Amino acid sequence: MFERVKEDIRVVFERDPAARNVFEVITSYPGLHAIWLHRIAHFLWNKGAKTLARIISHINRFLTGIEIHPGAKIGRRFFIDHGMGVVIGETAEIGDDVLMYQGVVLGGTSLKKEKRHPTIGNNVVIGAGAILLGPIKVGDGAKIGAGSVVIKDVPEGTTVVGVPARVVEKREKKIDLDHDKLPDPILKVLHLIIEEIDEIKSRIEEIGKFEDFKLKFDKYFEEKKKEIIEILEGGSR
């Protein structure tokens, strides 16, 4: 138990450059408090004390602003940065070494008592305000852009952004804090359109040059034709 607590504290220092000392981390990080309280609630949930587990989960939300259903399964070295507004549903599953920012929702899309929340792989980064809905799977090493709405599976090692979220690049399966440095798919499309326009413009210019040559060519032959006709008419006289 104490090894897990030490591991949790160590992760804070690894993921948050603002962390200065152990006392500050233990007393001032709601994301850490939320995970510790969730472990108690999850233990009670699995032992059948579901009402007590829900009460602890409710206290957890009141104290930290983070709502984690006691039935949710969470792996090791999970870190919630800031945390206010995070919601993790009952059947959600989170792997190891996951980094999550404030306002993230792992929500369900079904009223049936079945798997209805996302499954998050290992080494995943989920940006602020991202919403993941339904029993989707997020592959290992994926990155979810801030404010994205994810409703389909996310392949391993990819970055997804947008509403709805779309894959915009492949990336290495490692944790990084650069959830703001995401490619802009719209800008990429605009660049492609501009390149196509330039290509069409150059082709039109080539065609224009050919037309000029054709006009000169036709004019030359018309002049030669007149000269030949004049020579023939002069010879017939």
Side-chain angles (χ1 to χ4, degrees):
M1 176 181 174
F2 289 108
E3 285 301 318
R4 290 292 293 273
V5 170
K6 285 188 203 176
E7 187 177 67
D8 294 333
I9 294 170
R10 187 167 60 250
V11 167
V12 175
F13 284 103
E14 291 173 357
R15 306 283 173 81
D16 187 2
R20 294 181 298 177
N21 56 68
V22 173
F23 180 76
E24 180 183 81
V25 168
I26 292 173
T27 58
S28 307
Y29 275 75
L32 193 59
H33 303 155
I35 292 167
W36 289 344
L37 285 170
H38 170 71
R39 285 187 188 146
I40 298 170
H42 185 66
F43 174 80
L44 294 171
W45 181 269
N46 289 334
K47 292 297 182 181
K50 299 191 184 302
T51 300
L52 181 57
R54 289 303 300 268
I55 291 171
I56 292 174
S57 175
H58 188 68
I59 293 170
N60 191 359
R61 183 179 67 170
F62 176 77
L63 294 174
T64 67
I66 298 168
E67 182 175 346
I68 308 176
H69 192 284
K73 298 176 182 178
I74 296 177
R76 303 183 70 162
R77 297 176 296 279
F78 175 50
F79 179 50
I80 305 173
D81 198 0
H82 300 291
M84 181 61 71
V86 166
V87 177
I88 300 174
E90 177 187 3
T91 61
E93 298 175 51
I94 299 173
D96 297 333
D97 301 297
V98 173
L99 173 59
M100 182 181 291
Y101 288 88
Q102 68 272 15
V104 170
V105 175
L106 304 184
T109 55
S110 173
L111 295 177
K112 297 180 181 178
K113 294 184 180 297
E114 59 185 13
K115 172 67 174 172
R116 59 190 184 278
H117 297 91
T119 298
I120 311 299
N122 302 322
N123 297 300
V124 173
V125 178
I126 307 178
I131 299 175
L132 293 78
L133 299 175
I136 59 175
K137 292 183 179 181
V138 178
D140 295 347
K143 180 188 281 187
I144 313 298
S148 299
V149 177
V150 186
I151 55 176
K152 294 181 180 179
D153 291 351
V154 178
E156 291 186 2
T158 57
T159 296
V160 298
V161 298
V163 181
R166 293 180 174 83
V167 175
V168 291
E169 70 173 9
K170 287 278 291 180
R171 61 188 292 269
E172 294 181 18
K173 297 178 187 178
K174 64 177 183 178
I175 286 285
D176 62 61
L177 301 180
D178 297 329
H179 63 119
D180 60 323
K181 296 178 181 177
L182 299 171
D184 188 337
I186 296 175
L187 189 61
K188 187 175 180 181
V189 170
L190 289 175
H191 279 305
L192 290 173
I193 292 172
I194 290 170
E195 288 175 5
E196 287 293 326
I197 290 172
D198 290 339
E199 179 68 20
I200 292 169
K201 184 179 177 181
S202 63
R203 290 185 180 183
I204 290 172
E205 288 175 353
E206 288 177 5
I207 293 170
K209 291 177 183 177
F210 177 77
E211 288 295 328
D212 290 342
F213 174 77
K214 186 174 180 295
L215 289 172
K216 291 177 182 178
F217 190 77
D218 290 343
K219 184 178 180 181
Y220 172 78
F221 274 96
E222 282 297 324
E223 291 175 352
K224 290 299 177 183
K225 183 178 178 182
K226 288 180 182 178
E227 290 178 7
I228 292 170
I229 292 172
E230 288 177 359
I231 292 171
L232 290 174
E233 288 178 349
S236 62
R237 292 172 189 168

